[in-house]
Amino acid sequence: MRHFISVNQLTVEEIYSILETAEAYRNQKVTLNNQLFAANIFFEPSTRTKMSFIVAQKKLGMEVLDFHSESSSVRKGESLYDTAKTFESIGSNLLIIRHQSDSWFEELDSRISIPVINAGAGKEEHPTQCMLDLMTIHQEYGSINGLKVVIVGDIKHSRVARSNALALHRLGAEVYLSAAPGFEDEELDFPYISIDQAVEICDVVMLLRIQHERHLHKAESTDYLELYGLTKERERKMKNHAIILHPAPINRGVEIDTDLVECCRSRIFKQMENGVYVRMAIMMNVLNEWGIIDENNFKEYKALAVNR
Ligand code: NCD
């Protein structure tokens, strides 16, 4: 049975099917018949991902188990595996996990018999963020194939960059990267272009925060906006229809001029809204695959929603 660890594990058809379900959930109330417990196990700070999972779970009618690592038995030396196993033992039906390790799921994998959804793995993967980004781009353009998308910022330390670059490429987008010296990632095989070039040719400009928490030495950010970020002058050179994305949290005035955060090209708050529906769709998909929710009801909901 599959845990939801990476967008890479999904076929292109599965990606689009989840996006379609998410779109449908925007207009269609979906509530599960049976009592299900979802545990949100976050070892790293989170506002959007955690809260939108909670909203998504509540919209689906789930019981939400909240976990705070700093007041948990992790402080007494308990491992991630033992924490996850505890939630499984007390009756949790689903685990949502964010952890600073790039490969925390290897510790769980076949040893946990309830589904696990990756809500962020170190600098490696952030598949639910990627899905909501895909949803936002798809909503805008009706297709992803052939779009020019640039990911700008601290590529080397960003799980959002990695998840998105690979998924967008699989869906036929032309992916470009743009980074200050030292922020490039040689493992990602996509062309690097300057921010000035990027704004002129790209349909989607996806900005990233400097991931200070993953830096060994504090990065200097003086002049960062002028040299590598999205200034108002650069925004004026973007194509007419081009949009701005950012997974947030935003460091206003560092990677983006504060006035652009809510400008008409910005889809940043739309991304957050989409995050709720995409996470509902991902949870339903995983619970269905694991046979935890009633297959027929699920299909019925889906059919109802899609035909609306
Ligand atoms: C991102 C994350 O945690 O990777 N935020 C998010 O989930 N919306 C991006 C970041 O922290 O910069």
Side-chain angles (χ1 to χ4, degrees):
M1 217 62 83
R2 289 187 307 177
H3 299 294
F4 187 84
I5 301 302
S6 165
V7 176
N8 250 339
Q9 74 189 53
L10 302 176
T11 63
V12 169
E13 291 68 34
E14 284 171 327
I15 294 175
Y16 280 118
S17 161
I18 290 175
L19 297 188
E20 194 183 349
T21 307
E23 258 335 315
Y25 287 169
R26 185 189 301 284
N27 308 311
Q28 176 84 33
K29 190 166 161 46
V30 197
T31 306
L32 297 163
N33 296 333
N34 39 347
Q35 188 186 44
L36 289 183
F37 291 92
N40 300 310
I41 308 178
F42 281 61
F43 289 85
E44 279 190 335
S46 176
T47 300
R48 271 149 296 274
T49 306
K50 188 170 182 179
M51 291 303 143
S52 62
F53 261 113
I54 293 176
V55 173
Q57 289 155 356
K58 291 190 182 240
K59 275 181 181 276
L60 290 170
M62 293 183 188
E63 310 282 350
V64 180
L65 304 177
D66 203 7
F67 165 87
H68 299 275
S69 60
E70 58 298 342
S71 59
S72 74
S73 289
V74 168
R75 292 282 301 274
K76 302 177 187 172
E78 191 160 50
S79 67
L80 171 62
Y81 172 73
D82 287 331
T83 305
K85 206 72 191 160
T86 301
F87 278 100
E88 181 187 325
S89 312
I90 63 173
S92 188
N93 304 98
L94 176 65
L95 303 181
I96 314 296
I97 301 182
R98 168 175 287 192
H99 194 277
Q100 58 279 6
S101 157
D102 287 353
S103 53
W104 55 259
F105 34 81
E106 286 169 11
E107 190 186 335
L108 309 185
D109 204 18
S110 54
R111 300 161 77 202
I112 292 288
S113 16
I114 50 171
V116 175
I117 294 179
N118 180 2
K123 57 177 169 33
E124 212 50 41
E125 279 279 5
H126 196 349
T128 65
Q129 176 69 42
C130 176
M131 290 296 289
L132 74 88
D133 294 337
L134 297 179
M135 182 174 174
T136 311
I137 297 172
H138 192 262
Q139 252 166 18
E140 194 67 34
Y141 292 104
S143 157
I144 290 172
N145 189 32
L147 290 176
K148 289 186 168 68
V149 182
V150 64
I151 308 176
V152 186
D154 188 357
I155 309 291
K156 192 180 177 74
H157 303 99
S158 166
R159 52 191 172 214
V160 178
R162 213 166 314 277
S163 285
N164 267 299
L166 300 173
L168 284 163
H169 174 68
R170 281 182 63 220
L171 296 178
E174 252 178 69
V175 177
Y176 298 93
L177 304 173
S178 182
F183 286 175
E184 306 99 334
D185 185 346
E186 54 288 347
E187 283 171 27
L188 279 179
D189 191 17
F190 297 99
Y192 278 88
I193 57 177
S194 70
I195 179 75
D196 289 300
Q197 205 184 341
V199 291
E200 289 189 5
I201 66 165
C202 288
D203 306 295
V204 178
V205 176
M206 183 185 292
L207 299 164
L208 302 170
R209 174 182 70 87
I210 303 174
Q211 311 280 300
H212 291 290
E213 68 278 25
R214 300 197 187 104
H215 290 189
L216 293 177
H217 309 288
K218 193 174 172 354
E220 263 315 317
S221 58
T222 338
D223 294 341
Y224 184 87
L225 179 65
E226 287 307 317
L227 293 172
Y228 310 108
L230 191 62
T231 57
K232 284 195 265 195
E233 197 187 337
R234 290 191 177 112
E235 183 271 336
R236 281 194 286 272
K237 294 187 182 144
M238 286 173 70
K239 292 199 214 173
N240 284 340
H241 61 264
I243 57 167
I244 300 167
L245 301 184
H246 192 314
I250 300 157
N251 287 151
R252 288 176 181 248
V254 181
E255 67 274 10
I256 182 170
D257 187 288
T258 187
D259 291 346
L260 299 179
V261 173
E262 290 164 76
C263 75
C264 56
R265 294 183 186 282
S266 168
R267 299 292 178 272
I268 298 173
F269 294 94
K270 189 72 185 167
Q271 287 172 275
M272 297 178 202
E273 182 191 323
N274 286 339
V276 171
Y277 299 108
V278 101
R279 290 181 171 114
M280 285 172 76
I282 291 168
M283 288 191 287
M284 289 293 267
N285 182 279
V286 165
L287 289 168
N288 183 53
E289 267 201 25
W290 281 65
I292 293 171
I293 55 172
D294 184 61
E295 169 104 9
N296 294 325
N297 275 356
F298 174 64
K299 284 220 170 102
E300 197 183 313
Y301 286 133
K302 200 171 164 192
L304 270 176
V306 169
N307 291 336
R308 228 180 118 87

